[in-house]
Amino acid sequence: MNPKLSNRVNQMATSATLAMAAKARELREQGKDIIGLSLGEPDFTVPNFVKNAAIQAVKDDYHSYTPVDGYGDLKQAIITKFQRDNKLTYTASQIVVSTGAKQSLANLAQVLLNEGDEVLLPAPYWVSYSDISKVAGGIPVEIPTSINSDFKVTPEALEAAITPKTKLMIYSSPCNPSGSVYSKAELRALADVLVKHPNIIVVSDEIYEHINYTEGHVSMAGFPDMYDRTVTVNGVSKAFSMTGWRIGYIGAPEYIARACNKMQGQVTSGANCIAQRATIAALQAQPSEIQYMIDAFKERRTLILGLLAEIPGIKANEPDGAFYVFPDISYYFGKTLRGKTIDNAGDFALYLLEEANVATVTGQAFGDPSCIRISYAASEEDIKEALRRIKEALA
Ligand code: PMP
Ligand code: GLU
């Protein structure tokens, strides 16, 4: 807390995912052999057809400010992608391209929330939903779930959390951090509750859409009675391994898209020109072009689940998508290991960092203090070595 700073930032938590990654980087610089399983960041290189589009954009002298909501032909590629992959029909005035899906989410919170509006977050939820809402004046309302229900919210729990002040619900499927994927029937059951409360807007974060090991991906906006009340968020960070290129986008009711455009026009202007040109190539590619990454993630999921199962006291669900496992480690609470008492998931993650040199993230940051998040967007060797070290440190 520094009184010279605004209450807004003083009350804000530091992003736990980025903080853990920074801590791991710092320890590595001190010469420690840290294995980083904290950050949700694919370890693949960017596909060549995307790189080539970026190189071509530089050669073609793209350099100017871009339209605030994105190049027209990129928006067209997004419209075609939404239609092709999600059967969602959007027009250009409903699309806004941003500097990462994180900015898309921040724009949405800024344009939709007034002071005191409640934001429903089925927990565990992605770490930034909560602080992005708070900084816009919203009040996060966590809806707890448990590993026994595969970390999915039930219609009853959703209904019970709704109040006259509820303005937004934000969720991701496939979910970061749990990897859970809502089926069509499960989402429909949630939609049946939401249609009874027409003032609630749903933000459906579909950034892990392609990293899905089930039958298929379901978009909330695909239900005709939810289309006008749902914002679909997506981006290229995960599916195309383009985390540092910083491109995300939304498909939204037109009045929301216009508001995001206005907000972004005052805050950042349009997203990076070269990355936008590259994103056109990424989105125009058939999903089969990136299947090799999904196949690798699936193999790593099997590997990490097998290795976790060998460690006593760790209870993991089988994630259906994304590249995280979110095991319950509460068995260790109250235990003293190598002279260190583990009182919570934060202590546990710190213990793993210090004693096993493996970086993970406390579940507390995602609204579930019994768990930790382990990212398996890492090489098989790193996963094997990390789990060997964790097993040894916990023995
Ligand atoms: N939503 C979820 C669920 C995420 O895991 C991430 C991770 N980066 C984001 C949004 C933000 O993605 P981007 O890199 O596009 O800002
Ligand atoms: N979304 C990734 C994660 O959850 C990247 C980090 C971040 O953007 O916070 O690890």
Side-chain angles (χ1 to χ4, degrees), residues 200-239:
I200 303 176
I201 293 165
V202 176
V203 175
S204 171
D205 183 344
E206 306 187 7
I207 197 157
Y208 294 97
E209 167 192 9
H210 293 296
I211 308 167
N212 183 339
Y213 318 121
T214 68
E215 295 290 289
H217 174 73
V218 186
S219 293
M220 183 63 96
F223 298 125
D225 53 359
M226 288 302 296
Y227 177 81
D228 282 337
R229 306 177 30 200
T230 302
V231 181
T232 310
V233 177
N234 211 322
V236 289
S237 283
K238 312 296 169 174

Side-chain angles (χ1 to χ4, degrees), residues 100-102 105 126 129 172 176 205 207-208 237-238 246 324:
K102 201 180 256 184
L105 292 161
W126 182 47
Y129 295 162
S172 60
N176 178 2
D205 183 344
I207 197 157
Y208 294 97
S237 283
K238 312 296 169 174
R246 310 305 306 126
Y324 309 103

Side-chain angles (χ1 to χ4, degrees), residues 11-50:
Q11 283 160 13
M12 193 180 206
T14 300
S15 162
T17 46
L18 300 185
M20 198 53 156
K23 182 143 183 91
R25 210 175 290 135
E26 193 185 300
L27 290 172
R28 236 177 251 131
E29 276 160 17
Q30 291 168 14
K32 289 225 167 100
D33 170 25
I34 304 290
I35 301 180
L37 303 183
S38 60
L39 208 53
E41 168 153 86
D43 57 326
F44 295 99
T45 54
V46 173
N48 279 335
F49 60 88
V50 178

Side-chain angles (χ1 to χ4, degrees), residues 183-336:
S183 69
K184 189 167 185 181
E186 287 164 342
L187 273 190
R188 183 62 253 176
L190 298 182
D192 286 342
V193 174
L194 293 162
V195 290
K196 291 190 271 170
H197 303 275
N199 294 332
I200 303 176
I201 293 165
V202 176
V203 175
S204 171
D205 183 344
E206 306 187 7
I207 197 157
Y208 294 97
E209 167 192 9
H210 293 296
I211 308 167
N212 183 339
Y213 318 121
T214 68
E215 295 290 289
H217 174 73
V218 186
S219 293
M220 183 63 96
F223 298 125
D225 53 359
M226 288 302 296
Y227 177 81
D228 282 337
R229 306 177 30 200
T230 302
V231 181
T232 310
V233 177
N234 211 322
V236 289
S237 283
K238 312 296 169 174
F240 297 92
S241 198
M242 291 168 68
T243 46
W245 295 52
R246 310 305 306 126
I247 298 289
Y249 55 88
I250 57 167
E254 191 172 323
Y255 74 98
I256 297 179
R258 280 188 198 285
C260 289
N261 189 2
K262 181 163 134 189
M263 178 61 61
Q264 191 162 291
Q266 291 285 24
V267 179
T268 54
S269 304
N272 176 287
C273 61
I274 305 300
Q276 284 197 55
R277 304 312 300 165
T279 297
I280 298 177
L283 297 182
Q284 284 177 341
Q286 289 302 318
S288 56
E289 297 269 358
I290 51 166
Q291 189 57 41
Y292 67 96
M293 295 194 244
I294 320 300
D295 292 343
F297 288 136
K298 195 171 176 189
E299 278 171 28
R300 295 171 192 182
R301 176 186 66 158
T302 308
L303 174 69
I304 196 163
L305 286 176
L307 294 171
L308 278 172
E310 291 174 16
I311 306 176
I314 291 195
K315 191 168 141 196
N317 66 326
E318 182 176 299
D320 282 328
F323 34 58
Y324 309 103
V325 266
F326 197 61
D328 185 312
I329 44 82
S330 56
Y331 165 85
Y332 288 94
F333 295 173
K335 295 201 164 31
T336 300

Side-chain angles (χ1 to χ4, degrees), residues 142 149 153 159 206 238 264 290 327 340 347 357 365 382:
E142 295 181 4
S149 60
V153 66
E159 181 83 66
E206 306 187 7
K238 312 296 169 174
Q264 191 162 291
I290 51 166
K340 290 178 183 137
D347 291 344
N357 284 348
D382 276 357

